[in-house]
Amino acid sequence: MATISSLLADHVTLQVRSVDRLFLQGYVPRLMCEGQVIRFLLDRGFPIPSPAVLGKIGRDYVNRVNAFIAENEIPVVRFVKGDVKEEIAREQFTRAEREGRYGVVMVGVAQEKTSAWRGWRDGGPDGHPHFVYRRQSIFPNNYYFYIRDPDWGPTFIKTVAYAPWPVWIYLNGNEWAKQQAARQGIAFRALDNGFASCEDPEALARICHSLSAEDVRRFFERWQGTLPSPLSDEDRRRGYAHALAVRQMEISDTRTFDRPAAGRAWFEATLPDQLTLGRPDQAAVIFGRRINSRTPGRFHTKIFNRGTEAAIQIHYRASKVKQYFKEGRALRTETTVNDTRDFGVGRLLTDENWNALIDIGHQINQRLLDHQLDACACAPDATLLERVVLPSTTPDGLPAPGLRFGDPRTMALLACLCSFQHLIAGLTNRSLRALIAGLIPGYSARQMTYDLRRLRRKGFIQRIPRTQRYQLTSEGRRLAVFFTKTYTRIVNPSLAELDPGPPPVPWTRSELTVSE
């Protein structure tokens, strides 16, 4: 019978690890406070920093957008509530691809909530009135420039005519890789937002690995010089230029199976273990971050069906990792970072932050797969099993009491070790004791101290240097899962089936019993 490890080893024809969807915000750092707005207007040459000047700049920008649309004969679509913008734009992208055209293929207009600077008079003489500025939520027209870029394929840039004139940029790393592969003459067959096959997987891997923050910056600078902007070149020379921040980043691991049946078999074998053994604390393991009572956000695992295709979705704060069967051909594991600060990484698009986010995403994806493999293939060899259940000695000669299989205290201890949060935050006498006390009333701190010593000498845990915390070893995690699964899924059910006698008392009290 095929296992999930053998399905990945024997039936995967292509693996692609890459940046997937990327959503960035461009903001002007020198327009983030009231004083900076006033300074901008003074730098523009207006002696009185009136909000009417901001309105004039916005109207001029709208006129330039309309002129740009008319000059280039670009289709315009006014979005309404309920429209799926991506679907509407796809038709124009398809037409441009068919005709071999690059550039702006469509402009969409939508009224959307935006935070903008609003000003009003607050005293002062008529000759020199005083104005104040505050950020307020408004619903102006947002302009979506849908661009077919020679380097990135389908993209869009969203702008607004109100200060501080933020922009939003959507890119896709898989589409970037397709453009580069086609340019290098590498034959491939595409999935939607991915690759189904490739004649040179190693070259494709190098392409995906080469994508950098500089490629993103070059894209933005190129189109910033092409599209209309409320900021002039002179404004940028004075320092009023956009900086880019990462608002959403997806990092994916796509493994294409040789046939759909292998992919379905992988999910059928994997899903049962996702419902037990430490859920929902699995989120802590997957994301590699410490969680405590003050950590905000959601932490849960969700397994759902989309038609006949299963998917797994795990949330951590504002971010998530999901795993699904893509187009009936590929296993897609995908980490979505919606707030880089969830992982202690800055939002600015710098080389350091970019590389850190990619490393985090790939580690999360691999960690999810590794834990799935550990949960389905955790059986130890006979020698290791004997060392765990029987008394032994450590390499430095210290006695290591046995962890007897079937002993209620041992089984409760190992079952609580399966809680995924321990791999992230580490465990202490107090944190682990609280879990065990829920299974064994009266379990004391002194007993916990003894059990921690047993676990450490048996290699289940190791002390984190310069702390009173411990962390599970990879072998300890695997053995805890094996003991718990064996006890709860094999031993207990089998003993119940082997008991031939009825319960000693309850049957005599049944209302269905007929006595003469």
Side-chain angles (χ1 to χ4, degrees):
M1 179 179 177
T3 63
I4 65 171
S5 57
S6 66
L7 288 169
L8 291 181
D10 302 334
H11 295 278
V12 170
T13 58
L14 177 67
Q15 179 182 2
V16 179
R17 301 168 75 237
S18 67
V19 175
D20 197 354
R21 292 180 177 88
L22 183 62
F23 194 55
L24 304 107
Q25 181 183 9
Y27 70 100
V28 183
R30 292 189 60 185
L31 289 176
M32 292 294 103
C33 68
E34 180 184 23
Q36 291 175 327
V37 175
I38 294 173
R39 171 49 54 190
F40 169 78
L41 296 176
L42 295 175
D43 287 345
R44 273 276 185 125
F46 298 100
I48 298 177
S50 167
V53 177
L54 290 180
K56 182 180 183 302
I57 295 173
R59 289 190 296 273
D60 290 343
Y61 172 65
V62 172
N63 291 334
R64 288 199 298 274
V65 169
N66 291 333
F68 178 81
I69 292 171
E71 180 181 352
N72 294 279
E73 299 180 347
I74 301 170
V76 178
V77 175
R78 183 166 291 276
F79 297 125
V80 298
K81 185 177 180 180
D83 282 347
V84 180
K85 300 180 181 69
E86 183 178 347
E87 294 295 331
I88 295 174
R90 181 171 292 137
E91 180 181 348
Q92 297 296 334
F93 280 126
T94 302
R95 180 180 301 173
E97 183 177 2
R98 188 168 57 247
E99 297 172 358
R101 290 187 291 110
Y102 291 100
V104 180
V105 301
M106 188 185 90
V107 175
V109 183
Q111 281 193 328
E112 296 175 346
K113 186 176 181 179
T114 303
S115 176
W117 286 111
R118 304 298 299 270
W120 58 89
R121 184 172 177 176
D122 186 26
D126 291 341
H128 201 287
H130 179 251
F131 293 96
V132 296
Y133 288 86
R134 298 290 184 270
R135 293 289 285 266
Q136 293 183 355
S137 293
I138 60 175
F139 287 84
N141 284 338
N142 286 253
Y143 296 92
Y144 287 78
F145 294 90
Y146 289 93
I147 303 166
R148 183 169 182 257
D149 185 77
D151 288 337
W152 287 87
T155 68
F156 74 74
I157 295 177
K158 184 175 76 166
T159 67
V160 67
Y162 285 76
W165 303 296
V167 298
W168 292 265
I169 302 106
Y170 167 83
L171 301 169
N172 191 300
N174 280 314
E175 297 300 327
W176 181 87
K178 290 178 184 178
Q179 296 294 118
Q180 309 311 308
R183 185 175 297 172
Q184 296 180 23
I186 301 172
F188 63 87
R189 187 161 56 88
L191 282 174
D192 178 31
N193 189 27
F195 295 84
S197 62
C198 179
E199 69 171 9
D200 192 344
E202 292 183 359
L204 179 59
R206 288 193 295 271
I207 288 173
C208 294
H209 181 71
S210 68
L211 179 59
S212 67
E214 183 59 29
D215 294 303
V216 178
R217 288 191 289 266
R218 279 199 298 266
F219 167 85
F220 180 61
E221 291 169 3
R222 180 168 66 250
W223 286 103
Q224 191 178 41
T226 302
L227 299 177
S229 172
L231 297 173
S232 66
D233 293 339
E234 184 63 29
D235 291 331
R236 296 188 183 97
R237 282 192 290 270
R238 286 195 294 261
Y240 298 101
H242 285 90
L244 296 181
V246 177
R247 303 300 296 182
Q248 184 184 82
M249 188 175 190
E250 294 182 357
I251 302 95
S252 64
D253 181 321
T254 308
R255 307 190 185 198
T256 306
F257 291 99
D258 53 6
R259 58 180 188 273
R264 288 194 296 270
W266 191 91
F267 269 95
E268 290 170 0
T270 304
L271 287 177
D273 276 318
Q274 305 306 303
L275 298 172
T276 56
L277 293 175
R279 307 309 190 263
D281 290 337
Q282 182 187 12
V285 160
I286 300 308
F287 286 96
R289 302 296 296 172
R290 178 174 175 178
I291 296 175
N292 56 38
S293 60
R294 295 184 297 276
T295 303
R298 300 176 299 169
F299 306 90
H300 62 271
T301 300
K302 180 181 180 183
I303 299 179
F304 56 92
N305 289 325
R306 193 181 305 139
T308 59
E309 297 181 2
I312 302 165
Q313 187 164 291
I314 303 159
H315 291 262
Y316 170 75
R317 290 188 176 179
S319 304
K320 67 181 178 180
V321 59
K322 60 182 177 180
Q323 197 174 53
Y324 58 97
F325 197 29
K326 189 171 184 64
E327 295 188 17
R329 288 295 308 275
L331 169 65
R332 169 67 65 86
T333 307
E334 184 176 87
T335 294
T336 302
V337 179
N338 292 311
D339 187 347
T340 63
R341 291 176 295 191
D342 286 349
F343 305 97
V345 178
R347 285 181 172 174
L348 278 178
L349 182 67
T350 64
D351 294 337
E352 181 181 2
N353 291 342
W354 174 272
N355 294 331
L357 289 173
I358 289 179
D359 289 343
I360 288 169
H362 287 320
Q363 290 171 13
I364 291 171
N365 292 338
Q366 189 59 49
R367 194 176 296 128
L368 174 57
L369 290 164
D370 288 345
H371 288 309
Q372 289 168 333
L373 293 172
D374 285 344
C376 294
C378 54
D381 57 51
T383 302
L384 179 58
L385 187 63
E386 180 179 334
R387 180 178 65 80
V388 171
V389 300
L390 297 178
S392 60
T393 57
T394 64
D396 53 3
L398 296 175
L403 294 165
R404 293 178 296 168
F405 181 81
D407 176 69
R409 178 169 155 184
T410 297
M411 302 316 301
L413 175 66
L414 297 180
C416 291
L417 284 182
C418 291
S419 176
F420 287 87
Q421 67 185 27
H422 298 320
L423 294 178
I424 307 313
L427 59 90
T428 63
N429 184 307
R430 182 176 181 179
S431 66
L432 185 58
R433 185 174 79 249
L435 295 176
I436 299 175
L439 302 177
I440 304 178
Y443 187 78
S444 66
R446 188 169 184 175
Q447 289 174 306
M448 185 75 265
T449 299
Y450 174 79
D451 286 337
L452 285 174
R453 187 182 301 117
R454 282 200 294 174
L455 291 172
R456 187 172 59 175
R457 294 182 181 179
K458 289 295 186 182
F460 279 73
I461 61 175
Q462 58 188 11
R463 187 190 293 273
I464 300 174
R466 297 183 297 277
T467 70
Q468 293 299 316
R469 289 182 170 271
Y470 301 86
Q471 62 184 9
L472 275 170
T473 63
S474 57
E475 181 180 273
R477 164 68 184 167
R478 186 167 60 89
L479 289 170
V481 169
F482 171 75
F483 275 67
T484 303
K485 288 174 66 174
T486 302
Y487 189 72
T488 59
R489 299 183 185 181
I490 298 176
V491 175
N492 278 346
S494 298
L495 290 177
E497 291 184 6
L498 291 173
D499 184 3
V505 176
W507 72 275
T508 60
R509 300 177 181 176
S510 171
E511 296 180 0
L512 298 179
T513 303
V514 179
S515 58
E516 295 183 357

